[in-house]
Amino acid sequence: MISEPLTDLSTTRLFAQRLARLVQPGDFIALRGGLGAGKTTFARFLISALMGEETVVPSPTYTIVQTYNAGDLEIFHFDLYRIETPDELEELGWDDTYNGLSLVEWPQHADDRLPRNRLDIEFSTSTESRTATLVGHGEYWQSRINEL
Ligand SMILES: Nc1ncnc2c1ncn2[C@@H]1O[C@H](COP(=O)(O)OP(=O)(O)O)[C@@H](O)[C@H]1O
Ligand SMILES: [Mg+2]
């Protein structure tokens, strides 16, 4: 487990840039935390780091998924807040993401369709501070977050 203080937006950007250097096709990153915790902000910085700063990254709140192509890497940015059952995931192309990078807000709504090998990032806020807590699930992520 790794704890990252996210003091301000530029700290979140730097953290996203560090993580961008590690990501590989097939990676799954679950972005946890309540409304306003900073999940979309982080996903935006990560996508910009991979795609280029000029990339427009709309929140997937209404579309549920937004996709990007960063060279050979396909990126899937999901916000599952509005799905009612995990059965809806199939239609959203959930099973076609295995070769790309998945960034998933409200991952708990995917229930047992969450992959076992994944990185969980929990965003938390208090009046004083913001923190991201990283937990690697599976050997692969456990060893990789130490390279961060
Ligand atoms: N590290 C940070 N420092 C200050 N403000 C932040 C930080 N991260 C996010 N925010 C702000 O918090 C608000 C909510 O962020 P957002 O990413 O939309 O949350 P979520 O997707 O978790 O609901 C936005 O106004 C965003 O600019
Ligand atoms: Mg969001």
Side-chain angles (χ1 to χ4, degrees):
M1 194 172 96
I2 292 178
S3 231
E4 286 283 328
L6 303 177
T7 334
D8 51 24
L9 289 174
S10 56
T11 317
T12 300
R13 177 189 275 128
L14 284 172
F15 169 51
Q17 288 168 344
R18 274 160 58 214
L19 196 68
R21 287 186 223 120
L22 286 186
V23 297
Q24 304 277 348
D27 280 351
F28 189 104
I29 303 179
L31 306 174
R32 299 179 183 273
L35 285 171
K39 304 177 294 298
T40 302
T41 303
F42 171 80
R44 277 200 177 111
F45 285 138
L46 184 58
I47 293 165
S48 310
L50 294 165
M51 296 281 298
E53 286 304 322
E54 70 288 355
T55 313
V56 178
V57 184
S59 172
T61 313
Y62 294 101
T63 54
I64 306 183
V65 61
Q66 297 282 342
T67 62
Y68 303 85
N69 282 293
D72 284 345
L73 179 68
E74 228 181 330
I75 304 170
F76 302 89
H77 179 196
F78 285 91
D79 182 341
L80 304 183
Y81 189 70
R82 295 161 66 92
I83 69 165
E84 276 164 21
T85 106
D87 295 336
E88 291 172 43
L89 291 172
E90 215 173 302
E91 257 175 57
L92 293 164
W94 187 256
D95 298 330
D96 307 326
T97 60
Y98 61 90
N99 230 355
L101 166 65
S102 300
L103 304 172
V104 182
E105 300 182 43
W106 298 98
Q108 59 273 42
H109 290 191
D111 210 359
D112 61 357
R113 282 174 173 81
L114 270 190
R116 226 174 279 215
N117 291 313
R118 63 172 197 272
L119 175 64
D120 276 7
I121 307 178
E122 171 99 40
F123 294 85
S124 53
T125 50
S126 71
T127 46
E128 293 293 297
S129 60
R130 291 172 179 268
T131 313
T133 307
L134 284 69
V135 178
H137 294 272
E139 263 174 52
Y140 178 55
W141 272 114
Q142 278 166 23
S143 61
R144 236 171 1 142
I145 56 173
N146 296 321
E147 294 165 31
L148 205 68

